[in-house]
Amino acid sequence: MSKKTYREAITEALRQEMEREERVIIVGEDVAGGAGGSAGGGEAAGGVMGLTAGLCTQFGRERVIDTPITESAIIGMAAGAALTGLRPVAELMFADFIGVCLDQVYNQAAKFRYMFGGKARTPLVVRTMIGAGMGAGPQHSQAIYPMLTAIPGLKVVVPSTPYDAKGLLIQAIRDDDPVIFCEHKGLLGSQGEVPDEPYTIPFGKAAITREGTDITLVGISRMAVLCNEVADRLKKDGISVEVIDVRTTSPLDAATILESVKKTGRLVAVDEANPMCSVASEIASIVASDAFEYLDAPVKKVTAPHTPVPAAPNLEALYLPTPDKIEVVIRDLMDF
Amino acid sequence: MSKKTYREAITEALRQEMEREERVIIVGEDVAGGAGGSAGGGEAAGGVMGLTAGLCTQFGRERVIDTPITESAIIGMAAGAALTGLRPVAELMFADFIGVCLDQVYNQAAKFRYMFGGKARTPLVVRTMIGAGMGAGPQHSQAIYPMLTAIPGLKVVVPSTPYDAKGLLIQAIRDDDPVIFCEHKGLLGSQGEVPDEPYTIPFGKAAITREGTDITLVGISRMAVLCNEVADRLKKDGISVEVIDVRTTSPLDAATILESVKKTGRLVAVDEANPMCSVASEIASIVASDAFEYLDAPVKKVTAPHTPVPAAPNLEALYLPTPDKIEVVIRDLMDF
Amino acid sequence: MQLSRDQLLSAYRRMRTIREFEERLNVEFQAGTVPGFLHLYSGQEAIAVGICEQLEDARDYIGSTHRGHGHCIAKGVDVKGMMKEIYCKKHGVCGGKGGSMHIADLDKGMLGANAIVGGAPPLAIGAALTAKTLKPGGVAVPFIGDGAANQGTVAEAMNMASVLKLPVVFMFENNGYAEFTAASYATAGSIEARAKAYDIPAVTVDGADFFAVHEAAREAIARARAGEGPSAIEAKAYRFWGHFQGDPQRYRAPNETKDLREAKDCLKHFRSRVTEAALLEDADMDAIDEEVLALIEEAVAEAKADPEPDAQSLYEDVYVAYN
Amino acid sequence: MQLSRDQLLSAYRRMRTIREFEERLNVEFQAGTVPGFLHLYSGQEAIAVGICEQLEDARDYIGSTHRGHGHCIAKGVDVKGMMKEIYCKKHGVCGGKGGSMHIADLDKGMLGANAIVGGAPPLAIGAALTAKTLKPGGVAVPFIGDGAANQGTVAEAMNMASVLKLPVVFMFENNGYAEFTAASYATAGSIEARAKAYDIPAVTVDGADFFAVHEAAREAIARARAGEGPSAIEAKAYRFWGHFQGDPQRYRAPNETKDLREAKDCLKHFRSRVTEAALLEDADMDAIDEEVLALIEEAVAEAKADPEPDAQSLYEDVYVAYN
Ligand SMILES: Cc1ncc(C[n+]2csc(CCOP(=O)(O)OP(=O)(O)O)c2C)c(N)n1
Ligand SMILES: Cc1ncc(C[n+]2csc(CCOP(=O)(O)OP(=O)(O)O)c2C)c(N)n1
Ligand SMILES: [Mg+2]
Ligand SMILES: [Mg+2]
C-alpha cells in the first residue's frame, strides 16, 4: 500500500497485467510514441498523458503498438484480435473520438457473442479519457458514457479514485467481455492509497463511500468525488448523506442504490453528462419504479445542461455540476 | 385530404418541399438509383424502400444525388452543404449505420452553432430507418434515437402516423437546425388520412392521441401505435388510458406529459429501445422529479430487454414491447 | 502451380456447393420460407474458393460481408448449420440469433459475415495481429466488395496493415455493383491503385477463373506467411442475381445476368479447363454435382424441420458474465 | 505566373502575420495566460497563404484542422477576433465558446478549425457541393495533415469528390509528424499516389516555397473553377514547434527544429526570392514586419483586456430555435 495518483494506478495496472499475461497488448496512437522520429525511436511519450509511459521500454514495440490516427482501424483491430486470442487494451485518446469508431464498438465487438450464438469471447478493453474542466473545448471534453451504457454487450467502467482505477482496470483486462474504461482527465493527478500488488474490483458493485440516513447521493466518475465533498460539508449541518459511487454504469448496481433509497427516502443522481438519456436519468427511473413506496421526496438529478461544453473556462465552470449546485438540490429535498 | 401510407406521406413531403425550394436536395445511397448501370441510368429505385422514387425523374440527378457507400462523407457533405446555404436531406439507409458516421452528426453538425458562437445555421435533415420486427437481424433493426436525443444541438423526430410523418418532415426541412428524422420500417405501409397540401407540425409538441383519466401511457414511434391499441382495449374494461405520442424526443414535450400525469397519477413510458439510458428512462425521470406529488403509483417503463435484436422471428417478437406486455404493467399499476 | 487431383476435386466440390446452396435458397425465398434479407453469392464462387482452399482452420482467418454464404462454405463452415442459421433455427451455427448476415464460426477461422459494409476489414487485420503474435505463419483475408472498397474503414485497414506489416490478403470482389449503383460510377480510379498507394502489392484477376484467383492468392498468402506484409487482389466478379432477392434489377440491361451466366460462369470455366487438360473427367464432377444436390436437399429439409430457438435464448449470451 | 507587387506584399504580410501570431502565442502560453491546448502553425505559412491568396471570401471555402490559426489568417479572419477567441473572451470570433481549435468565420468562407482529426474534409466537400450548385466557380479547400491523411473520412471525401466531380482542392500538409509519430512510420505509401488512385490529379511541392505552392494551387483552383473536378497537392511542410505547446519533442533529433528554421523557413525563402529577382526590397518587408508586430501586440493586449463571455451565453445558441 502506498500513495499513488490515479494516473500511476492505471499505469501500474497495465504493467502488472502485461507481466502476468503475455497476450495482453496495448494499441493506440502514441502509446509508445516516437515511432520513426528523427531521434531514432525509443520510448518518447507513452501516450499524450503519459499513462503508458515506460511500458514500451519494458515490453517492446511488439506489445505496445503505435498506430496511425485511424480509430476505426484501432478499435476494430483490437476487437478482431480479442476475438481470436489476444487480450488487447486499445487506447481511444479522447472519448469524444468515439464518433469516428462507434460502429466497431457497438455493432461489432459488443454484439459478437450474441450474434454468434454464444460462441465468441471478446476480451477487449478500450481505455479512454472523458470529462470537462481542462478548457479543452467542445470536442475534447465530453462525458459520453451514457450512449455506451445503453449498448447491450458492452461494459462501462467509470472509476473515481486511484484505488478503483487500478482494481477495475485489472478486472477489465481479465474480463472476457468488451469493456470501455473511462478515465476522467480531471482525476489523473488525484491521489489515494493503492495496494502495490494486483487486485480486482468486481463490476456491478457500487461503493458506498459515505454512510448516511437522510438522503442518497449517487455519483458517477468525478462526480462521486464531488458527492463526498458535499456529504462531508452537510454533515456539519446535521444532514446525513449516503454517497454511492456507481463504479460501473453497465452493469449498474441498482440493488445497492435501491437499498440505500429504501433507507433514506430521497435520491439525487449526479452526472457530468448532458441531461437527456443520461445515467442519472436511468438511475432516477429505476428508483421511481422500484423504490417508489419508500420515497419521501421527488427524485432529482444534477447534470450538465443540454449544451455542448464551452471552451471558455468561466463558462465551463458554470457548465459542470459543482458541490454548491448539488447542495442546493439536497437542501430543497430535505425541506420537501 | 386522402388516405396515404406513411411511405407515401414521406415521399410527398420531400416532393413538395423540393418544388417549393430549389435549395432542398437529397443525397444518399441509391436515392435515385441505377447510376452507371448497364440499363443506361434513369431512375432505378428511389432508395431501398422506394421512399425517394420518382424524385430523380422530376428534379434530376443534380438534386437527387446518388453517392458511394461512405456514410461519413454523405452526412459530412450534407452538413457542410447545409452550413453554406443548401438545405440537404441526407439518407442514412438504416439507423444502425450511425456507427460509421456519428462524428459528423454529433461533433460536427450538432455543435456548429454553439462552437461558432451562434453564427452558423445548419438546416440539415438526416432521414433514417429504425426499428425491429422485419427479421433484419442485430445490425439492421435497432432503435438508436436515445443516443441521439442525448446530443445537444440535434433535434430528433419519431413520427408514428402518416399525418405526422408528412407534417414533421416538412418542418424538419424548413427547420434551421440539424434534425434526425427516424422512419420506423414497421410503419412504412401503415395508412392514414393525410392532407394533400403541405403543412408543418411544430417540434416539441406531443400529440394526445387518446384522452383518459386513470393512467398516462407515453409512446415513441411505433410504440405509440401499440399504446393506442392498448388504450382502446382497456377502455372496454373501464380503464381510462391517456396516450401521448411524443412525436419528437428532442425537444421533448415534458409539459404535456407532466400535465397528463398530474391528472392521472400514473405513468408508463413505452420505448422500443434498449432500457438503459432510453427515452423511456428520461421521461420517467422527469415525471419522478416534477410530478412527484401527483403520483399514485410507481413510474414504469416498457422497453426492449438489454440484448441485441435477435434475427430469429420468434425471438424478435419476444424482444419487442407488445400490447400484452404493456397491458400487464398497466393492470399492475391500477392495482397499486 | 499444378494442383493435385484431390485439390481440384475439393475446389470443384466447394464451388458447386456454394452454387447449389444459393440457387436453392433463391427457390426457397421465392416460396416465402426464408426470413430476413438474402444476398446471394452465385457467380463469385471461384473467388472465395480460389483463396480459401489455401487457408487452414486453426491459424487462418477470413472476414466476410453481407454476401457471406460463399465465404463461409469456402472456409469450411458446416453447410447444414448454415442453412439452419439462415432459417433462424435453434441448431443454426449461431443459434438462430445471427441469421444470413451474421454467420460466424470461430473454430473455422470464420470471423463472421457482416451486415455493416466495411465492417470486417478492421476486424480481419486484428486477426492478422493475433496470427502474427500467437500463430506464426497465419494469415487473415477480408473480403471486400467494390462498394465497400470506398468505406473509410477499408482505407484505414490497408494503411494499418501496411504500417504494421500484418499478414493480410485484401480480397476485393468487384462485381460491378453496390446495390443498384455501378462501380464505374461510385468507385473512382482503381482499387488496385489504391492498395498500391499504401505500398501494398496488388494485382487484378478475372474472378471467373478459379486458376487465376488461386495463383494470385497463392503468391499473396506466401508473402503473408513469410512475414512480408499485406497484399491485395482485385477480382473482377459477376453477380448472377440482384443485390438481394426481390431486387427487380431495373438498373441492369435486360440480358446482362443471362449473358454473364453464359460467358462468366466459373463452374463452366473450371470444368472446361480441367477436362481439356485431362485433369478431371466430366463424370468426376457429375458425381459431385449429385452429391451436392443431395446435401443441399437434406440441409433444407433439416433446416425446415429444426425447431425455433428457445424463448430463453433471447436473454442468453449477451455477456460471458454480467456480474 | 508572375505575381504583382501588391500580390507579393499581401502574401508576405499574411505569412508574417501568421508567424508573429504564433510566435507570440508561444510566449504568452509559456507565461500561462492562454487556456486550453495550443497547436502552432509556424513553419507552414507558405502553404496556407500560397493557396488562400487565390481564394475569395464569398464563394470559396476552407476546412481546417486543430492547427488552424494559419489557415484562418490566410483566409482573412480578423486577427484580433481570433486572438480574443484563443483567449476565450467575449468578443472572440466565436464568443469564446470555441477556443483555439474551433475558430470559424462563415462570412470569410472559413468553415472552422476542427479538433477531430479528419473531421473537416467531409464538410469541405459539402461546401464544394454548395459552390457547384449555388455559387458557380466556387471552390473548397480542406487542409489535411499527414496523420489525418490516414483517416477514413479523408479517403471517403476524396472518392466522393472524384465521383461527383466537385470543385475541391485537397491540400495535404505533410509536416513529417502526427503528434509524436513520424509520417515515415504511420503514413504508408504516398499521399500523392492515394489521390491519384481516386483519379484525382496530384502533385507534390515544397511547402517552404511559397511560389511552388502558389503555382500548384493556381492550377488546381483553375481546374476546380472550370468544373473539371478535384485535385490534390501534397506540400512537404516543416513544423517549427512541437505537436502542442509543452511537447518536449523527445522523438526529434536535438537539432531538428533549429535546422528547419535555418534551411526551411518560408519567410526567409520568400524574401531572398523576391529581393534577388528585384520584385520587392528588404525595406518593403521590414515595414510590414513592424506593422505586423504592432498589430499582434495590440491583439494580445485587447484579448487580455476583453471580458469573459457572459454567464448567460452558456445556454445560448445551442439551436436557432428549440421550439
Ligand atoms: C455501413 C453500411 N452502409 C450501407 C449498407 C447497405 N448495403 C448493404 S450491401 C450494400 C452494397 C454493397 O456493395 P458491395 O460492397 O459492392 O458488395 P456486393 O453487394 O456487390 O457484394 C449496401 C449499400 C450497409 N449494410 N452498411
Ligand atoms: C479523431 C482524432 N483522433 C486523434 C486526435 C488527437 N490528435 C490531435 S492532432 C493529432 C495529430 C495530427 O497529425 P497531422 O494530421 O499530421 O497534423 P499536424 O498536427 O502535423 O498538423 C492527433 C493524433 C484527434 N484530435 N482526433
Ligand atoms: Mg459489388
Ligand atoms: Mg503532421
Side-chain angles (χ1 to χ4, degrees):
Chain A
M1 200 73 135
S2 58
K3 261 215 169 352
K4 288 174 190 126
T5 62
Y6 189 93
R7 179 196 314 258
E8 287 161 351
I10 289 167
T11 310
E12 187 168 279
L14 292 170
R15 178 180 302 111
Q16 289 178 343
E17 284 304 289
M18 291 186 79
E19 283 168 351
R20 187 184 62 81
E21 170 56 87
E22 279 252 309
R23 290 173 305 161
V24 176
I25 61 163
I26 293 179
V27 297
E29 294 156 18
D30 283 313
V31 288
S38 52
E43 178 140 353
V48 274
M49 297 293 177
L51 273 82
T52 48
L55 300 181
C56 167
T57 312
Q58 184 175 350
F59 302 105
R61 285 190 177 271
E62 306 277 288
R63 289 183 67 199
V64 182
I65 302 172
D66 277 340
T67 68
I69 310 172
T70 49
E71 284 80 6
S72 282
I74 295 168
I75 306 298
M77 178 170 75
L83 190 59
T84 51
L86 289 172
R87 304 190 76 86
V89 181
E91 182 171 305
L92 179 65
M93 195 184 294
F94 288 83
D96 313 66
F97 307 163
I98 192 73
V100 299
C101 61
L102 181 67
D103 184 70
Q104 292 294 329
V105 173
Y106 105 113
N107 273 327
Q108 311 296 338
K111 292 191 173 57
F112 286 155
R113 187 167 178 80
Y114 195 80
M115 291 195 300
F116 299 166
K119 290 183 199 143
R121 264 165 209 269
T122 312
L124 165 69
V125 181
V126 178
R127 288 180 43 242
T128 192
M129 225 170 1
I130 60 165
M134 317 287 285
Q139 294 174 338
H140 276 62
S141 305
Q142 296 166 87
I144 50 84
Y145 45 77
M147 71 166 74
L148 300 171
T149 301
I151 300 171
L154 215 57
K155 294 173 177 173
V156 183
V157 183
V158 285
S160 77
T161 68
Y163 176 86
D164 284 1
K166 180 171 173 182
L168 290 168
L169 181 50
I170 293 181
Q171 172 60 32
I173 295 172
R174 296 186 189 177
D175 203 278
D176 276 335
D177 290 309
V179 177
I180 308 279
F181 189 86
C182 300
E183 302 165 3
H184 197 295
K185 53 175 100 64
L187 294 174
L188 291 180
S190 68
Q191 287 202 325
E193 289 293 330
V194 178
D196 296 327
E197 62 281 2
Y199 58 95
T200 60
I201 297 174
F203 291 164
K205 295 275 166 251
I208 299 177
T209 56
R210 296 292 184 276
E211 297 204 1
T213 51
D214 293 336
I215 189 163
T216 301
L217 194 54
V218 181
I220 299 149
S221 184
R222 193 172 78 83
M223 296 301 107
V225 177
L226 268 53
C227 290
N228 288 334
E229 206 179 312
V230 173
D232 295 344
R233 196 196 273 190
L234 289 179
K235 196 170 187 179
K236 295 172 198 141
D237 292 0
I239 303 177
S240 170
V241 179
E242 179 139 305
V243 176
I244 297 176
D245 177 345
V246 296
R247 281 176 163 166
T248 60
T249 61
S250 178
L252 182 67
D253 186 359
T256 296
I257 296 170
L258 289 167
E259 212 179 309
S260 175
V261 172
K262 286 178 185 176
K263 182 174 66 176
T264 64
R266 290 178 168 80
L267 174 90
V268 179
V270 187
D271 193 340
E272 189 183 319
N274 299 114
M276 296 181 81
C277 304
S278 60
V279 174
S281 298
E282 181 58 30
I283 291 169
S285 77
I286 291 171
V287 166
S289 166
D290 298 350
F292 178 74
E293 307 91 303
Y294 301 87
L295 284 173
D296 298 321
V299 163
K300 291 288 172 186
K301 53 189 188 188
V302 178
T303 68
H306 187 65
T307 78
V309 187
N314 71 314
L315 297 181
E316 195 184 28
L318 290 170
Y319 172 90
L320 284 168
T322 57
D324 286 353
K325 291 183 200 170
I326 301 167
E327 184 178 333
V328 168
V329 175
I330 291 178
R331 289 190 183 275
D332 267 10
L333 287 191
M334 293 314 299
D335 290 346
F336 187 83
Chain B
M1 199 77 133
S2 59
K3 260 214 168 357
K4 291 176 190 123
T5 61
Y6 188 93
R7 179 196 315 258
E8 286 161 353
I10 289 167
T11 309
E12 187 169 280
L14 292 170
R15 178 181 303 111
Q16 290 178 342
E17 284 305 288
M18 291 186 79
E19 282 167 351
R20 188 185 62 82
E21 169 57 85
E22 279 252 309
R23 291 172 304 160
V24 176
I25 60 163
I26 293 180
V27 296
E29 294 157 17
D30 283 313
V31 287
S38 53
E43 176 140 354
V48 274
M49 298 293 176
L51 273 81
T52 47
L55 300 181
C56 166
T57 311
Q58 184 174 350
F59 302 104
R61 285 192 177 270
E62 306 277 287
R63 289 183 66 199
V64 183
I65 303 172
D66 277 339
T67 67
I69 311 172
T70 49
E71 285 80 7
S72 281
I74 296 167
I75 306 299
M77 179 169 74
L83 189 60
T84 51
L86 289 172
R87 305 190 75 86
V89 181
E91 181 171 307
L92 179 65
M93 195 183 295
F94 288 83
D96 313 66
F97 307 163
I98 191 74
V100 300
C101 60
L102 180 66
D103 185 69
Q104 292 295 329
V105 174
Y106 105 114
N107 273 327
Q108 311 297 339
K111 292 192 173 59
F112 286 155
R113 188 167 177 81
Y114 195 80
M115 292 195 300
F116 300 166
K119 289 182 200 143
R121 265 166 208 267
T122 313
L124 165 70
V125 180
V126 178
R127 288 180 44 242
T128 191
M129 226 172 359
I130 60 165
M134 317 288 285
Q139 294 174 337
H140 276 61
S141 306
Q142 297 167 86
I144 50 84
Y145 45 78
M147 70 166 76
L148 300 171
T149 301
I151 299 171
L154 215 58
K155 293 174 177 172
V156 183
V157 183
V158 285
S160 76
T161 67
Y163 177 84
D164 283 0
K166 179 170 173 183
L168 290 167
L169 181 51
I170 293 181
Q171 172 59 34
I173 294 172
R174 297 186 189 175
D175 204 279
D176 276 335
D177 290 308
V179 177
I180 309 278
F181 189 86
C182 299
E183 301 165 4
H184 197 295
K185 54 176 99 64
L187 294 175
L188 292 180
S190 68
Q191 286 201 324
E193 290 294 331
V194 177
D196 296 328
E197 62 281 2
Y199 58 96
T200 60
I201 297 174
F203 292 165
K205 295 275 164 252
I208 300 177
T209 56
R210 295 292 185 276
E211 295 205 2
T213 51
D214 292 336
I215 188 162
T216 302
L217 194 53
V218 181
I220 299 150
S221 184
R222 193 173 77 84
M223 296 301 107
V225 177
L226 270 51
C227 290
N228 288 334
E229 205 180 313
V230 174
D232 295 344
R233 196 196 273 189
L234 290 180
K235 196 171 187 176
K236 294 170 199 142
D237 293 1
I239 303 177
S240 169
V241 180
E242 179 140 305
V243 176
I244 297 175
D245 177 345
V246 297
R247 282 176 162 166
T248 59
T249 61
S250 179
L252 182 66
D253 186 358
T256 296
I257 296 170
L258 289 168
E259 210 178 311
S260 175
V261 172
K262 286 178 186 175
K263 180 174 65 175
T264 64
R266 290 177 168 80
L267 174 89
V268 179
V270 187
D271 192 342
E272 188 182 319
N274 299 114
M276 296 181 81
C277 303
S278 60
V279 174
S281 299
E282 181 58 30
I283 292 169
S285 77
I286 292 171
V287 166
S289 167
D290 298 349
F292 178 74
E293 308 90 304
Y294 301 87
L295 283 172
D296 299 321
V299 164
K300 292 286 172 187
K301 52 190 189 188
V302 178
T303 68
H306 186 66
T307 78
V309 187
N314 72 313
L315 297 182
E316 196 183 28
L318 290 170
Y319 172 90
L320 284 169
T322 58
D324 285 354
K325 291 183 201 171
I326 301 167
E327 184 178 333
V328 168
V329 175
I330 292 179
R331 288 191 182 276
D332 267 10
L333 286 191
M334 294 314 299
D335 290 346
F336 186 82
Chain C
M1 203 191 61
Q2 184 52 62
L3 279 78
S4 72
R5 182 182 158 80
D6 276 359
Q7 285 173 320
L8 291 170
L9 288 171
S10 169
Y12 181 80
R13 181 182 299 274
R14 296 257 205 219
M15 291 196 291
R16 172 54 72 192
T17 306
I18 296 171
R19 177 69 55 86
E20 203 56 49
F21 191 93
E22 299 293 65
E23 298 295 311
R24 177 62 182 265
L25 268 176
N26 171 56
V27 173
E28 296 297 330
F29 184 85
Q30 303 230 12
T33 72
V34 189
F37 295 119
L38 208 52
H39 307 83
L40 301 184
Y41 194 70
S42 294
Q44 305 184 198
E45 295 86 349
I47 302 170
V49 176
I51 189 159
C52 290
E53 284 286 288
Q54 305 178 66
L55 301 180
E56 299 167 16
D57 286 359
R59 62 171 181 168
D60 296 334
Y61 299 94
I62 66 167
S64 174
T65 70
H66 58 288
R67 198 177 302 286
H69 305 167
H71 308 140
C72 291
I73 293 175
K75 194 69 171 66
V77 181
D78 175 52
V79 167
K80 291 183 172 179
M82 284 177 60
M83 192 64 88
K84 292 191 185 106
E85 188 57 37
I86 292 166
Y87 275 84
C88 293
K89 293 301 184 67
K90 177 171 178 171
H91 299 100
V93 284
C94 302
K97 279 148 76 167
S100 164
M101 286 200 287
H102 302 287
I103 299 177
D105 188 344
L106 299 169
D107 292 338
K108 295 284 182 187
M110 202 292 160
L111 303 172
N114 207 310
I116 301 298
V117 168
L123 303 172
I125 63 170
L129 183 62
T130 298
K132 192 181 171 192
T133 316
L134 302 177
K135 304 186 171 187
V139 47
V141 180
F143 290 91
I144 305 162
D146 51 281
N150 300 319
Q151 279 288 28
T153 51
V154 174
E156 293 188 6
M158 285 202 283
N159 185 59
M160 182 78 83
S162 184
V163 166
L164 301 182
K165 273 202 179 315
L166 296 176
V168 184
V169 181
F170 292 93
M171 179 53 99
F172 290 94
E173 301 188 79
N174 185 345
N175 63 10
Y177 293 97
E179 286 188 0
F180 323 135
T181 297
S184 62
Y185 169 83
T187 307
S190 124
I191 292 173
E192 185 186 317
R194 294 185 192 180
K196 285 180 173 159
Y198 292 102
D199 237 353
I200 297 176
V203 294
T204 300
V205 298
D206 183 357
D209 179 351
F210 168 83
F211 298 97
V213 175
H214 192 278
E215 183 56 23
R218 192 182 62 77
E219 285 174 24
I221 292 169
R223 202 179 125 77
R225 295 209 196 285
E228 288 163 27
S231 307
I233 299 168
E234 177 180 352
K236 298 293 175 196
Y238 313 96
R239 197 185 75 191
F240 287 177
W241 292 105
H243 171 59
F244 42 49
Q245 294 320 93
D247 171 6
Q249 303 188 64
R250 277 186 285 149
Y251 49 93
R252 280 180 131 171
N255 277 333
E256 184 173 305
T257 51
K258 193 165 150 284
D259 293 349
L260 289 182
R261 282 187 187 258
E262 289 300 322
K264 287 294 185 184
D265 184 335
C266 58
L267 284 164
K268 285 187 194 154
H269 181 275
F270 183 95
R271 197 182 265 253
S272 63
R273 264 288 284 277
V274 293
T275 49
E276 272 161 33
L279 297 169
L280 296 180
E281 286 174 22
D282 274 320
D284 297 324
M285 289 173 283
D286 291 345
I288 289 176
D289 290 357
E290 301 254 313
E291 286 166 32
V292 166
L293 199 66
L295 172 68
I296 301 299
E297 183 65 39
E298 263 179 56
V300 170
E302 288 181 23
K304 287 181 177 172
D306 202 47
E308 288 182 332
D310 298 335
Q312 184 51 32
S313 73
L314 170 63
Y315 305 100
E316 289 166 356
D317 293 322
V318 181
Y319 297 92
V320 175
Y322 197 42
N323 280 310
Chain D
M1 204 191 63
Q2 184 53 59
L3 280 78
S4 72
R5 181 182 158 80
D6 278 358
Q7 285 174 319
L8 291 170
L9 288 172
S10 169
Y12 182 79
R13 181 183 298 275
R14 296 257 205 220
M15 291 198 289
R16 171 55 70 192
T17 305
I18 296 170
R19 177 68 56 85
E20 202 57 49
F21 192 93
E22 299 293 64
E23 298 294 311
R24 177 62 182 266
L25 268 177
N26 171 55
V27 173
E28 295 297 330
F29 184 84
Q30 302 230 13
T33 71
V34 189
F37 295 119
L38 209 54
H39 307 83
L40 302 183
Y41 194 69
S42 295
Q44 304 184 200
E45 295 86 347
I47 303 169
V49 175
I51 190 159
C52 290
E53 284 286 290
Q54 306 178 66
L55 302 180
E56 299 166 17
D57 286 358
R59 64 170 180 169
D60 296 333
Y61 299 94
I62 66 168
S64 173
T65 70
H66 58 287
R67 199 177 300 287
H69 306 167
H71 308 140
C72 291
I73 293 174
K75 194 70 170 64
V77 181
D78 175 52
V79 167
K80 291 182 173 180
M82 284 177 59
M83 192 64 87
K84 291 191 186 104
E85 188 57 37
I86 292 166
Y87 275 84
C88 293
K89 294 300 183 68
K90 178 170 177 173
H91 299 101
V93 283
C94 302
K97 278 148 75 167
S100 163
M101 288 201 287
H102 302 287
I103 299 176
D105 188 344
L106 299 168
D107 293 337
K108 296 284 182 186
M110 202 292 159
L111 303 172
N114 207 309
I116 301 299
V117 168
L123 303 172
I125 63 169
L129 183 62
T130 298
K132 192 181 171 192
T133 316
L134 302 178
K135 304 186 171 187
V139 47
V141 180
F143 290 92
I144 304 162
D146 49 282
N150 300 319
Q151 279 287 29
T153 50
V154 173
E156 293 187 7
M158 285 202 283
N159 186 58
M160 182 79 82
S162 184
V163 166
L164 300 182
K165 274 206 179 314
L166 295 176
V168 184
V169 181
F170 292 93
M171 179 53 97
F172 291 94
E173 302 189 78
N174 185 344
N175 63 11
Y177 292 96
E179 285 189 1
F180 323 135
T181 297
S184 62
Y185 169 83
T187 306
S190 124
I191 292 173
E192 185 186 318
R194 295 185 193 180
K196 286 180 173 159
Y198 292 102
D199 238 353
I200 297 177
V203 294
T204 300
V205 298
D206 183 357
D209 179 349
F210 168 83
F211 298 97
V213 175
H214 192 278
E215 183 55 22
R218 193 182 61 78
E219 286 174 24
I221 292 169
R223 202 179 124 78
R225 295 210 197 286
E228 289 163 28
S231 308
I233 299 169
E234 177 180 352
K236 298 292 176 198
Y238 313 97
R239 195 184 76 193
F240 287 178
W241 292 106
H243 171 59
F244 41 50
Q245 295 319 94
D247 171 5
Q249 302 188 67
R250 278 185 284 148
Y251 49 94
R252 278 179 132 171
N255 277 333
E256 185 172 305
T257 51
K258 194 164 149 285
D259 293 350
L260 289 182
R261 282 188 187 257
E262 289 299 321
K264 287 294 185 183
D265 184 335
C266 57
L267 284 165
K268 284 188 195 155
H269 180 275
F270 183 95
R271 196 183 265 254
S272 63
R273 265 288 284 277
V274 293
T275 49
E276 272 162 33
L279 298 167
L280 297 180
E281 286 174 24
D282 274 319
D284 297 323
M285 290 174 282
D286 291 344
I288 289 175
D289 290 358
E290 300 254 313
E291 287 165 32
V292 166
L293 198 66
L295 172 69
I296 301 300
E297 182 64 40
E298 263 179 55
V300 170
E302 288 181 24
K304 287 181 177 172
D306 202 48
E308 289 180 334
D310 298 335
Q312 185 51 30
S313 73
L314 170 64
Y315 305 100
E316 290 166 354
D317 293 321
V318 181
Y319 298 92
V320 176
Y322 197 42
N323 279 311

